[in-house]
Amino acid sequence: MFARQIASRVVAAPTLGAPQGARNMATLREIELRLKSVRNIEKITKSMKMIASTKLAKAQRAMQAGKQYGLANSEVFANTPSDKPAPHKLFVVISSDKGLCGGIHSSVSKATRRALANAADSPLAPAEGSTSAAETIDAASPVMVVGDKSKAQLIRAVGGNLRLTFNQIGRDIPTFADAAGVADLIVKSGVKYDSVVIVYNKFVSAISYEAAIMEVKGEEGLRESNGFKAYENEDDATKDLAEFSLANAIFAALVEGHACEQSARRNAMDNASKNATDMIGSLQMQYNRGRQAAITNELVDIITGASAL
């Protein structure tokens, strides 16, 4: 009986804990691994910043050339005013498939939702001081999206409005062929509209952008405009002009949106690199303090053992 009690006490006896320095060494090892990981992330973000800076210069040159297409459209529509309202609008949201570029995609998605909700800050709302009445937008207006990022955001909010989505467009600098392909599919989609509202990011400067719209009249709107009524035009001519104007506007929006994306990505990677540098400094300080504490503890143990002898 006594033997059983002694055996149970031996089994229940707690095991000896790890040496005092072992916990510090494990912590130092974890900090060292995290430092290595953050340094690798910093290298990646700095490389992406350099690449985005190079692409931004090319994108800005393409944007300046592409803006001429948008200016030509604006001049045509300025000389063809129409009193006929355009209640049926088709929204085309210009985005891209790539991320890591700040809020470039959520900017156009939010602007589209505000427009469909007829919000006070809608991009279609009349400017301050304007005498024109606010136009009411049908909440069920069809929406087409260029780019997977905005598609993923809008499908949750206005999924029932989506008619067509496009991807793999503008992976590099967008071309007029990309815009013409999108315009052709929009015309052949069978969606009825009086005008197309293109929602895109407007390039303000190398560090800022804002959501903007560009409205393009449809075939019926051009035919009923006062400028076209003064001349005898064939139906095919009006149809071709409407499709060409749509392709022009989409191309101008694509190249400007691409420049905004590269600018936003460069800024995002610059901020990420700065944050990584700050984190490396903090972790290095923590690692040095832990290492110094471990060395001090070891010295105390050595001195205590030597004095005991």
Side-chain angles (χ1 to χ4, degrees):
M1 180 176 179
F2 291 105
R4 291 179 182 177
Q5 292 178 356
I6 294 172
S8 63
R9 289 175 184 173
V10 172
V11 172
T15 57
L16 294 176
Q20 185 177 1
R23 181 176 298 177
N24 290 333
M25 293 303 294
T27 304
L28 290 176
R29 181 61 179 167
E30 291 173 0
I31 294 175
E32 189 177 2
L33 290 175
R34 193 175 180 190
L35 264 172
K36 183 179 179 181
S37 174
V38 175
R39 284 196 180 103
N40 290 337
I41 292 173
E42 184 187 30
K43 292 177 182 177
I44 294 172
T45 54
K46 284 185 175 179
S47 299
M48 292 185 68
K49 177 190 172 184
M50 293 176 60
I51 294 171
S53 299
T54 304
K55 289 185 175 181
L56 176 59
K58 296 180 181 178
Q60 284 180 306
R61 290 194 294 269
M63 180 186 67
Q64 295 301 327
K67 274 186 174 181
Q68 302 302 320
Y69 289 83
L71 293 175
N73 263 13
S74 301
E75 186 175 354
V76 170
F77 295 138
N79 292 314
T80 56
S82 176
D83 297 331
K84 184 179 179 181
H88 303 293
K89 296 186 183 296
L90 166 64
F91 287 84
V92 177
V93 183
I94 303 297
S95 177
S96 73
D97 303 332
K98 297 181 180 180
L100 298 177
C101 49
I104 199 80
H105 306 302
S106 59
S107 172
V108 290
S109 300
K110 290 178 180 178
T112 305
R113 293 200 300 268
R114 291 197 304 268
L116 291 174
N118 291 292
D121 56 347
S122 167
L124 286 171
E128 294 184 5
S130 176
T131 57
S132 58
E135 190 174 1
T136 303
I137 305 300
D138 184 6
S141 297
V143 178
M144 298 183 182
V145 185
V146 177
D148 288 336
K149 292 298 181 179
S150 287
K151 169 191 171 184
Q153 296 173 359
L154 290 172
I155 201 170
R156 296 192 296 266
V158 291
N161 297 38
L162 292 183
R163 297 295 183 270
L164 276 179
T165 60
F166 307 88
N167 58 9
Q168 305 296 325
I169 293 176
R171 293 178 63 88
D172 198 3
I173 296 177
T175 62
F176 187 79
D178 296 332
V182 173
D184 185 56
L185 289 174
I186 290 174
V187 172
K188 292 180 179 178
S189 65
V191 177
K192 302 298 181 182
Y193 58 86
D194 296 320
S195 66
V196 178
V197 179
I198 300 174
V199 186
Y200 68 104
N201 284 303
K202 183 180 179 181
F203 189 88
V204 178
S205 68
I207 59 173
S208 65
Y209 57 88
E210 62 182 9
I213 62 165
M214 187 187 307
E215 190 165 0
V216 182
K217 293 181 181 179
E219 179 184 355
E220 190 66 26
L222 286 176
R223 187 181 296 112
E224 295 297 327
S225 64
N226 299 328
F228 277 85
K229 283 182 178 179
Y231 304 95
E232 293 184 1
N233 294 310
E234 297 181 359
D235 292 342
D236 290 343
T238 309
K239 180 179 179 182
D240 293 342
L241 178 61
E243 184 173 352
F244 184 67
S245 299
L246 179 59
N248 278 349
I250 291 175
F251 177 59
L254 280 174
V255 292
E256 193 159 2
H258 180 70
C260 292
E261 179 186 351
Q262 296 303 330
S263 172
R265 180 171 290 112
R266 187 190 67 174
N267 296 332
M269 292 301 104
D270 184 34
N271 293 332
S273 299
K274 290 178 180 177
N275 292 338
T277 302
D278 294 342
M279 189 177 292
I280 289 172
S282 176
L283 290 173
Q284 189 67 53
M285 181 67 71
Q286 187 178 353
Y287 176 80
N288 292 341
R289 287 177 178 174
R291 186 168 175 269
Q292 188 65 39
I295 294 172
T296 303
N297 290 335
E298 291 177 3
L299 288 174
V300 170
D301 292 340
I302 293 172
I303 294 171
T304 304
S307 63
L309 293 176

